[in-house]
């Protein structure tokens, strides 16, 4: 594994999102002095927090899986996750609702899910579900150590016995047909393939290897932190401060000072911070602009679809909503064509509705509720421009609310007494390329060793982290990304603390 050369005693981490905080904790654990610089007044990056009218809205990811990766980050500085965080397991992980009026609870417990599959789709699908669950386990074991949790220096690193194992499992086929080999009910197939949208590729075209995301969601378990998702970066930031990190919030990095190929200082709008190495976590265009170099690629980067998000504080809720509810439209293939090819908003949308107050009522005023409605939409490269969302956004918000009411959430629009609407224009204003928070799509030429690497030619002591680089998009992967960036600076330790990917013993509280 290539590592940063020269002294690395003081590292500046730019960006206090999940990847930057992960990098900081692992660097601190390896004995480095760390300064963390963040433009916002609070940690979190995409996983931010807005307080309005007594509501606390998490602005970023809503689904937390693989908490052992968080445990590893805290363990790096001699802490346990329970020192700072209380996690609640979600049962069910999701509640799925379909256009034909049917519904399904998605359980991570095998026996509970088998019973639900039998109720929902008939006993004939249960054996297929068992085989699917085992295949997801095998897929995860074949991928995690060799293809996800690893620093690539060359595509030749793929030449390993695990590559043959992954190929034998069908990981290089297509996701939708592979899932169809196990279960035939089209509705049930959606539950195990919609995650491809996180990777920015339609299920019919996505690599079957990306079913590993379904493993994380539907097998490994889904959790919610007490205090909301923003409690995660807050806890990581506090642990970093306790371990000696210097936290510089509310400071924007304006440029990097360099001598030859070495970054010698990070210049903010308030100060000059001398450094021996730097970890850059902003979106790729911003990072490359700071570095003054953009890697040459044979093909331009393709970006994932974006999303319109409505944060709604309401004076009531609806009993049919779980903590996470997926409301599927009747269309499926057409939806993905609209998002990735034609550039139109979904004519028959599938929506993610998250109700954080189902698990933590303290996130809203007494007797009130928070709802997070996510509607995937085209990014600004293939769909409407960022400027056009000024007019399109409010109209699309109204159409989504009408659709929610049509699907049974009667009175939703009238119940909203506080709201925040986020569109691709807002993502673009935050510096996200193509107006999407989901970064570079996981097409085959943008996966594994072909994804933008975390070492950039022409700079010997700068490392990238975040969802645009290795290994990719999602809370688990950006946590891994931060640790991989730290390893580029520290080199692999003789033995590093690893935590098993099992439900955390530190979890407190009753199931949601």
């Amino acid at each position: 594994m290539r590592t940063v050369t020269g002294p690395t005693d003081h590292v500046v981490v730019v960006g206090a999102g999940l990847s930057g905080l992960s990098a900081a904790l692992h660097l601190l654990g390896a004995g480095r002095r760390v300064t963390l610089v963040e433009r916002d007044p609070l940690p979190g990056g995409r996983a931010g927090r807005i307080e309005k009218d007594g509501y606390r809205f998490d602005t970023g990811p809503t689904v937390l899986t693989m908490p052992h990766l968080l445990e590893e980050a805290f363990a790096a500085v001699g802490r346990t996750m329970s020192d700072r965080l209380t996690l609640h397991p979600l049962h069910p992980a999701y509640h799925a609702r379909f256009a034909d009026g049917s519904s399904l609870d998605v359980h991570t417990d095998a026996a509970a899910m088998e019973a639900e599959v039998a109720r929902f789709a008939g006993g004939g699908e249960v054996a297929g579900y068992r085989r699917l669950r085992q295949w997801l386990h095998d897929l995860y074991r074949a991928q995690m150590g060799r293809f996800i949790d690893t620093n690539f220096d060359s595509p030749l690193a793929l030449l390993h016995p695990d590559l043959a194992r992954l190929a034998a499992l069908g990981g290089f086929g297509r996701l939708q047909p592979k899932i169809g080999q196990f279960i035939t009910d089209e509705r049930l197939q959606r539950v195990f393939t919609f995650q491809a949208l996180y990777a920015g590729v339609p299920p019919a075209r996505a690599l079957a290897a990306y079913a590993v995301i379904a493993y994380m969601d539907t097998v490994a378990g889904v959790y919610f932190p007490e205090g909301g998702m923003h409690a995660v970066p807050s806890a990581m930031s506090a642990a970093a401060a306790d371990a000696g990190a210097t936290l510089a919030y509310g400071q924007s990095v304006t440029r990097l000072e360099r001598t030859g190929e070495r970054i010698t200082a990070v210049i903010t709008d308030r100060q000059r911070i001398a450094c021996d190495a730097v970890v850059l976590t902003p979106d790729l265009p911003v990072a490359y602009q700071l570095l003054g170099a953009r890697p040459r690629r044979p093909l331009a980067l393709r970006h994932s679809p974006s999303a319109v998000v409505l944060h709604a504080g309401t004076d009531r809720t609806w009993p049919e909503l779980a903590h996470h509810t997926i409301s599927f439209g009747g269309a499926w293939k057409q939806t993905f064509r609209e998002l990735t090819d034609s550039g139109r908003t979904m004519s028959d949308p599938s929506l993610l509705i998250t109700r954080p107050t189902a698990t933590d009522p303290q996130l809203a005023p007494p007797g009130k509720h928070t709802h997070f409605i996510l509607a995937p939409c085209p990014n600004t490269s293939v769909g409407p421009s960022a400027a056009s969302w000024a007019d399109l956004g409010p109209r699309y918000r109204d159409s989504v609310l009408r659709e929610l009411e049509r699907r049974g959430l009667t009175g939703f629009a009238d119940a909203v007494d506080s709201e925040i609407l986020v569109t691709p224009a807002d993502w673009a204003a935050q510096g996200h390329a193509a107006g999407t928070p989901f970064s570079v799509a996981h097409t085959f030429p943008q996966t594994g060793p072909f994804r933008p690497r975390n070492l950039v030619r022409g700079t010997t002591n700068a490392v990238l982290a975040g969802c645009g680089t290795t290994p990719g998009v999602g809370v688990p992967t950006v946590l891994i990304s931060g640790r991989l960036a730290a390893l580029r600076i520290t080199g692999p330790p003789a033995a590093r603390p690893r935590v098993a990917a099992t439900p955390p013993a530190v979890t407190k509280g009753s199931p949601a």
Side-chain angles (χ1 to χ4, degrees), residues 261-330:
E261 293 189 339
R262 291 193 69 83
I263 307 299
T264 55
V266 173
I267 310 301
T268 79
D269 52 4
R270 295 189 187 181
Q271 61 176 320
R272 176 186 182 274
I273 309 170
C275 65
D276 297 309
V278 62
V279 175
L280 298 172
T281 72
D283 212 13
L284 291 178
V286 177
Y288 291 151
Q289 182 178 16
L290 288 171
L291 289 170
R294 178 184 296 271
R296 293 190 297 273
R297 295 180 62 90
L299 298 173
L301 290 174
R302 289 182 55 189
H303 289 81
S304 297
S306 185
V308 172
V309 175
L310 177 64
H311 302 280
T314 64
D315 59 16
R316 59 167 290 195
T317 190
W318 291 260
E320 58 266 44
L321 293 179
H323 187 110
H324 295 299
T325 300
I326 305 169
S327 178
F328 288 104

Side-chain angles (χ1 to χ4, degrees), residues 73-151:
F74 287 105
V77 292
R79 298 288 188 271
T80 64
M81 186 165 58
S82 60
D83 292 339
R84 297 283 182 181
L85 277 176
T86 298
L87 299 187
H88 298 276
L90 299 185
H91 303 297
Y94 295 99
H95 177 66
R97 300 173 63 83
F98 299 90
D100 63 2
S102 61
S103 62
L104 169 78
D105 284 336
V106 180
H107 297 283
T108 53
D109 175 75
M113 189 59 183
E114 287 179 15
E116 183 70 353
V117 168
R119 180 200 67 79
F120 177 77
E125 293 281 29
V126 173
Y129 167 71
R130 289 194 190 108
R131 294 196 307 274
L132 172 60
R133 187 180 178 95
Q134 183 59 54
W135 179 74
L136 291 173
H137 271 287
D138 294 342
L139 191 73
Y140 173 78
R141 285 194 292 267
Q143 285 193 78
M144 179 52 76
R146 180 59 53 179
F147 303 109
I148 297 175
D149 190 4
T150 191
N151 273 314

Side-chain angles (χ1 to χ4, degrees), residues 368-402:
K368 298 193 176 185
H369 305 269
T370 58
H371 297 84
F372 171 105
I373 300 101
L374 184 147
C377 70
N379 64 46
T380 57
S381 293
V382 300
S385 67
S388 68
W389 279 99
D391 294 325
L392 177 58
R395 289 188 282 114
Y396 191 59
R397 173 259 189 205
D398 292 344
S399 71
V400 168
L401 290 184
R402 286 194 298 270

Side-chain angles (χ1 to χ4, degrees), residues 197-499:
L197 187 59
Y198 301 157
V201 187
R205 300 205 303 261
L207 290 176
Y210 280 105
V212 71
I213 309 175
Y215 168 85
M216 296 175 185
D217 282 359
T218 67
V219 177
V222 177
Y223 299 82
F224 188 71
E226 197 167 286
M229 288 292 288
H230 185 68
V232 173
S234 293
M236 296 176 77
S237 173
D242 287 349
T246 299
L247 308 181
Y249 289 114
Q251 298 190 35
S252 295
V253 174
T254 57
R255 65 185 179 89
L256 302 177
E257 189 177 287
R258 59 194 300 155
T259 301
E261 293 189 339
R262 291 193 69 83
I263 307 299
T264 55
V266 173
I267 310 301
T268 79
D269 52 4
R270 295 189 187 181
Q271 61 176 320
R272 176 186 182 274
I273 309 170
C275 65
D276 297 309
V278 62
V279 175
L280 298 172
T281 72
D283 212 13
L284 291 178
V286 177
Y288 291 151
Q289 182 178 16
L290 288 171
L291 289 170
R294 178 184 296 271
R296 293 190 297 273
R297 295 180 62 90
L299 298 173
L301 290 174
R302 289 182 55 189
H303 289 81
S304 297
S306 185
V308 172
V309 175
L310 177 64
H311 302 280
T314 64
D315 59 16
R316 59 167 290 195
T317 190
W318 291 260
E320 58 266 44
L321 293 179
H323 187 110
H324 295 299
T325 300
I326 305 169
S327 178
F328 288 104
W332 190 238
K333 293 180 180 179
Q334 172 186 329
T335 293
F336 286 98
R337 284 196 297 268
E338 290 168 338
L339 291 174
T340 61
D341 296 330
S342 66
R344 295 193 297 269
T345 57
M346 293 181 292
S347 55
D348 185 13
S350 291
L351 307 168
L352 172 63
I353 307 160
T354 295
R355 183 165 64 102
T357 44
T359 305
D360 189 350
Q362 300 303 311
L363 297 173
K368 298 193 176 185
H369 305 269
T370 58
H371 297 84
F372 171 105
I373 300 101
L374 184 147
C377 70
N379 64 46
T380 57
S381 293
V382 300
S385 67
S388 68
W389 279 99
D391 294 325
L392 177 58
R395 289 188 282 114
Y396 191 59
R397 173 259 189 205
D398 292 344
S399 71
V400 168
L401 290 184
R402 286 194 298 270
E403 187 63 25
L404 290 176
E405 300 217 14
R406 191 185 70 79
R407 297 182 186 183
L409 302 186
T410 305
F412 196 103
D414 290 338
V416 175
D417 64 12
S418 182
E419 67 178 272
I420 300 167
L421 181 67
V422 183
T423 74
D426 299 292
W427 303 124
Q430 292 174 26
H432 301 317
T436 174
F438 302 115
S439 193
V440 177
H442 284 263
T443 58
F444 182 77
Q446 299 177 174
T447 295
F450 309 111
R451 197 163 181 81
R453 296 186 192 169
N454 55 10
L455 290 180
V456 181
R457 292 182 186 276
T459 305
T460 59
N461 64 337
V463 188
L464 305 183
C467 57
T469 185
T470 305
V473 178
V475 172
T477 40
V478 298
L479 291 171
I480 293 171
S481 175
R483 188 175 58 76
L484 293 177
L487 288 175
R488 289 291 196 185
I489 293 171
T490 65
R496 68 187 186 196
R498 302 309 305 269
V499 180

